[in-house]
Each structure stands twice: as C-alpha cells, then as structure tokens.
Amino acid sequence: MWCGQHGGMPEENKVALVVGSNGVIGRNLIDHLVQLGDWDIIGLSRRGGTDAGRVRHIAVDLLDEEDGRERLRGLEHVTHIFYAAFQDRPTWAELVPPNLAMLVNVVEAVEAVAPGLRHVSLMQGYKVYGAHLGPFKTPAREDDPHHMPPEFNVDQQNFLEARQKGKTWTWSALRPSVVCGFALGNPMNLAMVIAVYAAISKELGLPLRFPGKPGAYHTLLEMTDAGLLAKATVWAATEERCANQAFNINNGDLFRWNEMWPKIARFFDLEVAPPLPMSLDVVMADKEPLWNDMVERHGLAKNSYQEVSSWRFGDAVFSWDYDFLADGSKARRFGFHDFVDTEEMFMNIFADFRRRKIIP
Ligand SMILES: NC(=O)c1ccc[n+]([C@@H]2O[C@H](COP(=O)([O-])OP(=O)(O)OC[C@H]3O[C@@H](n4cnc5c(N)ncnc54)[C@H](OP(=O)(O)O)[C@@H]3O)[C@@H](O)[C@H]2O)c1
C-alpha cells in the first residue's frame, strides 16, 4: 500500500523517488528498498513499470521540463530522491547537457512540491576521477582534485552542493566502479555483455576469448555489485554523518581478468583460449538473427537483441589496460562494512540470468 494514496503522512514515513528505475542501479535499489520494508517507493523512468505492493511507477521524460513539472506535481510526500538516471551520448562532452538537465529538472520540481524532502542521493562513478579517459591516479580518493571538464558527474555534484545551501535537505554521492546486476535495455551492463558474449561463443562452438586490449587482461580492477551499491546508497542517504559527502563504493576485493576469465569460461562450460583483441561493437553487430534463433530454440524470455546488447560499453571496459581502482576506506570509516566476493558475484549474476531465462 502506497502512503501517497492516503491523506496524512506521519513524520517518520520514508518515501523514495528512485529516478532511473529501469537502470541496472535503479532496479536493484528498488529491490533493496522493498526488502527493507519501511519505504514507500516511486520509480521514475520514461518507460515506466508495473506497480506492485509499495512500489508504484511514473513515466516521465525528464528532458521535457514542462511535462516533467506537470507529472511530478503529485510527489508532495517524497522524502528522499535517489538519482540514478542516465542518458547515453557518443562523446564525453555531449553527456553533460542532458545529464545535468535531468537532475536539475527533477530536483527543482520535487523541491517545489515536497516540503518533507530530506535527502538527495546522487549516483556518480569513477568518471569523477577521469577513469574513463586513461591511466588515472590510483587508488582514487574522494578528495582528489577534479580533471579537466567537461565532466557531467562533477557538474551534477556542483549543482547539488550549490542548491543545498540554506536548505533542510542534505545530499550524498556514491562512486561505484563498474556496476554488475540484472537489467535489460541499458547501455552500461557488463555482466550482460559477458553472459551474452559467452552464450553466443558457445552457440558457435568457440572457446571463450577475452576480446579486450592485450594489457587489459593483466591489470588490477574492481567491480561493484548492484545489491551492495543499493545498501550503501540507502545507508549514505539515511546516516546523518554522511550528509553532504561522497563515497567510493566497491566490492572490497581486486582481480585481474587473466584469473577471472577462465572461471567465467568454466561457468559456461567453455574452453578458454588466449585473448584476441576485437571490437565487440563490430563483431557482434551481425549476431541478431543468431540471437533470435537462440531465444526460440532454448525457450528463452523474449528479449530483443538490443535489450541484451551493451557492446560499446564492453569495448570500453575491456580496453582498460591500466589499473582501475579507488580507495573504499572512507565508507568503512564512516560505518559501511559490507563487501562482496567478485567471483561469487559474477557467478551469482550469471545464474540469475539463467533463472530468468535470459541466457541458455
Ligand atoms: N552501469 C555502470 O556500470 C555504472 C558504473 C558506474 C557509474 N554509473 C553511473 O550511474 C548512473 C546510472 O547508470 P546506469 O548504468 O544505472 O544507467 P541505465 O542502466 O542506463 O539506467 C538509466 C535510467 O535512466 C532512465 N532515463 C533515461 N533517460 C531518461 C529521461 N529522459 N527521463 C527519465 N528517465 C530517464 C532510464 O529509463 P528509461 O529508459 O525507461 O527512461 C533508466 O531507468 C550514471 O550516472 C552512470 O554513469 C554506472
């Protein structure tokens, strides 16, 4: 039962607006909030979703300022905004205008109608540290100086910092590594890239080859489990001393693909072969008919090839021939001690994809 359907709202009620509710981050955050049991949840995305229990969905295009304002008028009970929306663009510079505009539009619209707003949580990433540009200072720390703009993550935080001054609400920012979990139809989904690439390799009778740059097979990196990130996000949004702070959130262990890849191959019952650099965006472009055939033959859920393809993101991640890690100790010092074993994480996610009949 959603409290917004009733008249008054007791002071302690927590109403989460999860912005980007279909994303790999937003979906898993909603699952966690549901499990916590004491939240009413509103998911916001363009596609919308199916209401269930204490979760309801609204379909809003946040790039349409007028439409957004109109549709967000009914959100007067919102106490926490969890912002995890994302608009993909071909260049880093082009990411800035839409991604800043969406945050500004939703914060301004909700602030205007929700007097009980207590917190705005911002999802960032290692892009704050320039991790996507090339070898960056590792381990990256929250107070490292910013890199040369354009950088939408920094602009978003600057907006929140300025907007929060003199307000009763606070903000927090989460900086995960690559986020792994279940989602469909999103541009950055590494676990899906690996699972579908492995499934298609198997279908073609091929061994599993790491498709990235030669150096990328050997560097140190870390991941962030979407469930762990969800816990950290709610923790930072509700723990008083996290107010107006940013936190790196990662699984807490490091790995190299050269050790992980053979384990992934084993999960899919595949031989592992030496790496061979190739662009997934290029070599997977013609695999749609094969995918459609696999869906039929294996009785898979009817997901389109586009919904399970984030090849461009796979190419980016597998090109990192430099260490890719940030110091996660600030969150621990502030009281968040959860961790996830990354090998277990991958295997659990792949098993989940099988259960959901996304892959054979
Ligand atoms: N994925 C990762 O590995 C990763 C790692 C580190 C940091 N991050 C950061 O985390 C943030 C979220 O990333 P994500 O990967 O979770 O994104 P995502 O999976 O692409 O999800 C984006 C969400 O935003 C919604 N959305 C997009 N445009 C919208 C619009 N105009 N109006 C309303 N909703 C809109 C999408 O739903 P509809 O399509 O239905 O609108 C979707 O729910 C980004 O800032 C990203 O840089 C991601």
Side-chain angles (χ1 to χ4, degrees):
M1 191 185 305
W2 185 69
C3 80
Q5 293 166 340
H6 304 288
M9 186 188 66
E11 193 48 29
E12 68 276 11
N13 266 22
K14 290 184 283 189
V15 182
L17 177 68
V18 177
V19 185
S21 49
N22 288 323
V24 66
I25 293 172
R27 265 176 197 263
N28 287 282
L29 179 58
I30 290 180
D31 288 349
H32 177 58
L33 289 165
V34 168
Q35 271 172 18
L36 288 175
D38 56 347
W39 288 83
D40 290 304
I41 303 143
I42 305 159
L44 188 159
S45 65
R46 287 164 306 177
R47 282 171 284 173
T50 312
D51 297 353
R54 293 176 75 167
V55 186
R56 71 171 177 121
H57 287 270
I58 53 175
V60 179
D61 183 352
L62 287 177
L63 287 177
D64 184 339
E65 200 182 334
E66 281 304 300
D67 182 50
R69 227 171 248 285
E70 196 50 45
R71 284 171 194 263
L72 301 179
R73 222 183 278 283
L75 298 183
E76 69 271 22
H77 295 308
V78 168
T79 57
H80 294 70
I81 299 175
F82 292 98
Y83 185 86
F86 178 67
Q87 276 271 322
D88 204 14
R89 290 291 184 276
T91 65
W92 306 126
E94 286 170 274
L95 286 173
V96 176
N99 284 294
L100 183 59
M102 290 197 297
L103 176 70
V104 171
N105 290 345
V106 74
V107 169
E108 287 185 348
V110 173
E111 224 191 5
V113 296
L117 182 65
R118 299 212 287 272
H119 195 80
V120 182
S121 162
L122 173 65
M123 192 52 63
Q124 299 182 307
Y126 290 7
K127 287 194 184 88
V128 171
Y129 306 121
H132 54 308
L133 300 175
F136 62 109
K137 190 221 104 178
T138 52
R141 295 206 166 83
E142 288 86 348
D143 54 2
D144 285 349
H146 295 319
H147 62 82
M148 181 66 76
E151 178 48 63
F152 78 91
N153 284 279
V154 173
D155 290 354
Q156 287 178 327
Q157 184 177 328
N158 287 343
F159 161 73
L160 275 191
E161 284 189 31
R163 183 93 192 174
Q164 184 273 336
K165 290 209 165 53
K167 303 286 168 58
T168 48
W169 56 268
T170 56
W171 61 268
S172 58
L174 293 305
R175 298 179 181 169
S177 180
V178 176
V179 178
C180 296
F182 169 71
L184 286 165
N186 55 319
M188 297 187 288
N189 191 343
L190 184 68
M192 191 67 81
V193 168
I194 297 173
V196 175
Y197 174 70
I200 289 180
S201 296
K202 189 165 187 172
E203 208 62 28
L204 295 173
L206 299 170
L208 194 65
R209 288 181 192 278
F210 179 75
K213 278 194 197 168
Y217 205 47
H218 306 288
T219 52
L220 266 180
L221 70 161
E222 62 193 354
M223 297 278 129
T224 302
D225 173 72
L228 179 83
L229 179 61
K231 282 186 197 164
T233 303
V234 177
W235 161 77
T238 51
E239 173 67 50
E240 224 166 283
R241 53 195 173 135
C242 297
N244 306 334
Q245 297 281 334
F247 296 96
N248 295 331
I249 303 294
N250 44 53
N251 283 353
D253 61 1
L254 302 171
F255 73 100
R256 300 178 201 275
W257 288 118
N258 61 16
E259 250 197 297
M260 190 65 78
W261 205 251
K263 291 172 179 166
I264 292 173
R266 211 168 305 138
F267 178 93
F268 288 97
D269 216 6
L270 285 166
E271 296 292 319
V272 68
L276 180 67
M278 61 185 115
S279 160
L280 292 177
D281 205 27
V282 171
V283 301
M284 302 311 278
D286 66 349
K287 304 294 185 289
E288 184 168 358
L290 173 61
W291 174 258
N292 292 338
D293 185 49
M294 286 166 66
V295 168
E296 286 305 317
R297 269 187 301 111
H298 296 287
L300 301 181
K302 299 221 178 300
N303 295 309
S304 69
Y305 191 55
Q306 288 68 34
E307 280 175 302
V308 299
S309 301
S310 326
W311 303 123
R312 203 163 71 93
F313 184 60
D315 284 342
V317 173
F318 296 141
S319 77
W320 296 335
D321 53 1
Y322 46 89
D323 291 344
F324 197 92
L325 46 114
D327 181 350
S329 66
K330 181 179 172 189
R332 271 175 240 136
R333 282 198 303 280
F334 276 65
F336 185 76
H337 300 289
D338 287 27
F339 64 93
V340 163
D341 178 302
T342 298
E343 181 185 334
E344 259 180 52
M345 175 200 79
F346 274 123
M347 306 313 152
N348 287 340
I349 293 173
F350 299 147
D352 179 48
F353 288 173
R354 272 199 183 139
R355 264 194 308 274
R356 294 173 187 266
K357 292 197 168 295
I358 291 167
I359 50 165

